[in-house]
Amino acid sequence: MATNTLFSKSISLEEYGIKNSKIFYQLTPDQLHQITIEKEQGKEASSGALAVNTGEFTGRSPQDRFIVKDDITADKVWWGNINIPFDADKFDKLYDKVTAYLSEKEVFVRDCFACADPNYKLSIRVINEYPWSNMFANNMFIRPTEEQLKDFDPTWTVINAPGFMADAEIDETRQHNFAILNFGKKIALIGGTGYTGEIKKGIFSALNFELPVFHNTLPMHCSANVGEDGETAIFFGLSGTGKTTLSADPDRKLIGDDEHGWTNENTVFNFEGGCYAKVINLSQENEPDIYNAIKKGAILENIIMDENGNVDFENTSITQNTRVSYPIDHINNIQVPSIGYKPKNIFFLTADAFGVLPPISKLTPGQAAYHFISGYTAKVAGTEAGINEPVPSFSACFGAPFMPLHPTKYAEMLSKKMQEAGVNVWLVNTGWTGGPYGVGHRMKLKYTRAMIAAAMNGELGEVNYENYHIHSVFGVAQPRTCPGVPTEVLSPRRTWNNDEGYYEKAHQLANAFKENFKKFESFANKETLEGGPK
Ligand code: ATP
Ligand code: MN
């Protein structure tokens, strides 16, 4: 039993099988920051933010993410190498080992919520071995009021023990780390990895199952913001394509940067209470909102700083995936509560390293469905000298690793909602222009921002011959002009100065799309199939 002077409530963890532990319940971020430093698990940066190293893992480990196969999940989950089944008995055994490991130790416990919409509010208890992981939970989930804590009854529990190593042979994991979702018991069990993203993506995956199955609500891997006109914009995209960067827009109120639900009442609500931004090459000039959010209360991960605590954002010696988490109110212009009305524009963000896709194009409903199911971006094959070939990467619904159901389930829901709401759908290439990776360069952030603003303001006009050119390979409508963007930038072919080379790469990418789509062909209708490249 432990009490926290800030809250009159004391809790016990015996019911979880965690015995005789020293419980730090609902500590403030300041307390957790201090304890982390005292334990030498982190340092304070000159900005006041806490800087930690997450250890062996500096990113998620999708191959070690399992779902317990039980009565609830057996015939609903799309099993395979994304949703890997885990035996219920094996889960119980591993659970007992993890809770025994946490017994007699100091543990940090936090009660919080996911889902900003009161109709969907999910109460969560996060039990952490480390204080900074618990501070991460405070940043990323929705913080309860003191009143809400009084009769708090957690529905889901996250147990997070980075120091516990599984024995792959006995525990039937792949290796020493694991993130396992158990829908029957409503537990996310995480061990062997200190990467904090596993905590938030564990609950995201849980919602990606429960919302469509039990509430007929569409969960989305997207960011969202709302303009002065009250219209909401949604930005889908895989990691590194710009969800967090582009949703932080001083002219629009931020709803959230990563995970949202689209309800039957046509509202869009954030699952989270904070943001988790990449900080590689971050500059105050290019991304002032995110830069200024890095202050006391924020947690920097896996960055390098000098003896004065100044962060070198260009240093990727630990990882390219350097991050910062902060409560959403570290951003100035936010929507409170995090709910948007009137979805009007949807942007599919892709970082095309082939430099082939137009920087912005408008999609037909069939193309929208096709691109949503495809979920294309490109991975740049390392930064070592000599490796110049980008690899196309397809992840259904722009978030396959977090989607327990078959992708067409989400796609059908999205198509229906898009039709009912009458939204515009845009494909935005935040990746390469002027040639592929190694030859061209990344699209200037200020141009991407200008294109998105023009699309939302209606400045790109109706799709007709005067305003748009239809791309000969991808069939998408490419605007001929855009305020604030040089005209030649709008046509990827023209930026190459090498038509032959451009079309060769364009066909190569089109073939990769077709190859990937084969597994969905039997599920897709004619309109969707026609939405693919020619
Ligand atoms: P995750 O799902 O991993 O959180 P994300 O979609 O939120 O990924 P961001 O954190 O926004 O991705 O990362 C986009 C990165 O690309 C940032 O580092 C940003 O500075 C950089 N970038 C460079 N050019 C552009 C551009 N034209 N548009 C968007 N981002 C750009
Ligand atoms: Mn993000």
Side-chain angles (χ1 to χ4, degrees):
M1 291 291 232
T3 28
N4 172 0
T5 45
L6 288 152
F7 298 99
S8 51
K9 187 168 150 176
S10 62
I11 62 154
S12 159
L13 297 179
E14 302 273 327
E15 62 179 289
Y16 300 93
I18 300 172
K19 299 188 178 116
N20 301 320
S21 55
K22 186 173 177 207
I23 302 166
F24 293 90
Y25 177 67
Q26 215 72 8
L27 296 193
T28 65
D30 276 3
Q31 289 171 316
L32 292 165
H33 175 119
Q34 229 25 69
I35 294 171
T36 301
I37 289 170
E38 277 157 23
K39 289 184 181 294
E40 297 185 358
Q41 292 180 6
K43 291 194 178 119
E44 189 170 304
S46 58
S47 59
L50 177 66
V52 301
N53 285 354
T54 59
E56 183 190 350
F57 292 92
T58 57
R60 285 179 309 99
S61 187
Q63 286 172 283
D64 301 296
R65 189 274 215 168
F66 306 92
I67 296 178
V68 172
K69 196 167 190 173
D70 59 14
D71 292 350
I72 297 173
T73 56
D75 5 303
K76 292 204 175 68
V77 167
W78 188 42
W79 303 106
N81 55 5
I82 293 174
N83 296 303
I84 310 165
F86 203 81
D87 189 79
D89 295 336
K90 286 283 165 194
F91 177 89
D92 292 344
K93 293 207 176 85
L94 186 54
Y95 177 92
D96 288 346
K97 284 170 78 170
V98 174
T99 51
Y101 168 84
L102 290 173
S103 296
E104 318 273 338
K105 284 198 171 57
E106 289 184 343
V107 288
F108 300 84
V109 182
R110 176 159 304 278
D111 288 341
C112 46
F113 295 107
C115 301
D117 186 322
N119 294 326
Y120 299 87
K121 209 156 241 182
L122 181 76
S123 54
I124 305 168
R125 174 163 289 173
V126 187
I127 301 175
N128 301 103
E129 177 180 4
Y130 298 143
W132 46 271
S133 323
N134 195 248
M135 186 172 159
F136 175 85
N138 176 71
N139 284 355
M140 295 308 300
F141 292 120
I142 297 171
R143 293 156 289 281
T145 60
E146 219 168 308
E147 195 55 36
Q148 287 169 322
L149 276 180
K150 277 187 190 149
D151 49 4
F152 196 92
D153 182 19
T155 304
W156 268 82
T157 305
V158 180
I159 300 184
N160 171 242
F164 173 90
M165 302 295 157
D167 182 329
E169 249 168 59
I170 298 170
D171 302 320
E172 290 186 23
T173 51
R174 188 182 69 103
Q175 51 178 35
H176 57 283
N177 63 301
F178 53 89
I180 312 174
L181 282 178
N182 187 327
F183 285 93
K185 301 199 159 155
K186 296 191 188 286
I187 294 171
L189 188 66
I190 303 166
T193 169
Y195 185 62
T196 52
E198 300 279 9
I199 300 170
K200 65 167 235 146
K201 284 300 201 292
I203 289 298
F204 184 43
S205 301
L207 286 163
N208 287 333
F209 181 84
E210 294 190 341
L211 288 180
V213 171
F214 304 128
H215 303 277
N216 196 25
T217 281
L218 174 68
M220 305 177 287
H221 186 214
C222 69
S223 61
N225 63 22
V226 54
E228 266 171 20
D229 47 16
E231 289 175 348
T232 295
I234 295 171
F235 304 82
F236 284 95
L238 290 159
S239 188
T241 57
K243 290 185 299 302
T244 300
T245 298
L246 296 168
S247 59
D249 176 341
D251 295 331
R252 300 176 62 85
K253 287 191 160 75
L254 178 67
I255 300 172
D257 82 323
D258 201 45
E259 310 168 359
H260 293 79
W262 189 342
T263 69
N264 291 327
E265 294 76 47
N266 204 25
T267 63
V268 173
F269 67 88
N270 191 359
F271 292 172
E272 302 182 285
C275 303
Y276 193 37
K278 284 178 178 287
V279 296
I280 181 173
N281 299 329
L282 183 71
S283 72
Q284 186 162 26
E285 192 196 347
N286 282 336
E287 296 178 65
D289 298 86
I290 294 173
Y291 190 94
N292 295 329
I294 305 176
K295 57 184 184 187
K296 192 78 185 273
I299 311 174
L300 287 157
E301 294 179 7
N302 304 315
I303 48 84
I304 302 290
M305 45 189 200
D306 66 16
E307 60 278 10
N308 300 318
N310 296 316
V311 180
D312 177 1
F313 290 112
E314 263 141 55
N315 191 322
T316 55
S317 57
I318 300 177
T319 175
Q320 303 252 332
N321 188 31
T322 52
R323 292 269 177 174
V324 62
S325 70
Y326 46 84
I328 195 162
D329 56 31
H330 280 210
I331 296 285
N332 286 330
N333 202 9
I334 57 170
Q335 173 86 339
V336 183
S338 306
I339 305 174
Y341 304 87
K342 291 195 274 179
K344 187 63 195 291
N345 288 285
I346 294 182
F347 298 90
F348 292 162
L349 308 176
T350 176
D352 174 25
F354 290 90
V356 158
L357 292 176
I360 188 161
S361 54
K362 197 167 185 188
L363 306 185
T364 63
Q367 289 169 343
Y370 183 91
H371 281 275
F372 183 69
I373 294 171
S374 298
Y376 166 69
T377 193
K379 284 197 180 131
V380 195
T383 43
E384 291 111 278
I387 300 179
N388 280 335
E389 273 304 295
V391 191
S393 162
F394 294 93
S395 180
C397 313
F398 296 104
F402 326 114
M403 302 294 171
L405 307 179
H406 192 279
T408 51
K409 175 84 187 154
Y410 304 100
E412 278 162 18
M413 289 179 87
L414 182 68
S415 289
K416 191 160 170 274
K417 288 197 180 297
M418 289 193 309
Q419 242 164 19
E420 283 168 7
V423 291
N424 304 307
V425 185
W426 310 87
L427 182 65
V428 173
N429 176 9
T430 64
W432 273 254
T433 179
Y437 176 80
V439 178
H441 55 89
R442 191 123 188 222
M443 184 62 57
K444 278 203 175 91
L445 189 49
K446 78 169 181 195
Y447 292 158
T448 301
R449 287 197 200 278
M451 289 182 248
I452 285 175
M456 291 191 295
N457 297 338
E459 290 168 319
L460 300 180
E462 294 291 314
V463 177
N464 57 32
Y465 180 77
E466 198 187 326
N467 295 332
Y468 287 84
H469 162 79
I470 302 299
H471 194 279
S472 61
V473 179
F474 286 91
V476 297
Q478 179 180 302
R480 295 184 192 274
T481 59
C482 174
V485 183
T487 302
E488 59 275 14
V489 172
L490 297 169
S491 162
R493 181 179 62 80
R494 283 173 64 190
T495 67
W496 277 52
N497 268 327
N498 168 7
D499 277 11
E500 209 180 311
Y502 175 78
Y503 282 113
E504 195 191 312
K505 273 276 177 278
H507 286 117
Q508 200 185 325
L509 180 60
N511 287 334
F513 265 91
K514 286 180 187 156
E515 191 55 40
N516 170 70
F517 208 83
K518 277 184 184 153
K519 57 181 175 287
F520 301 119
E521 262 166 18
S522 59
F523 301 95
N525 62 24
K526 186 162 172 281
E527 194 188 23
T528 304
L529 288 172
E530 283 172 356
K534 303 271 133 58

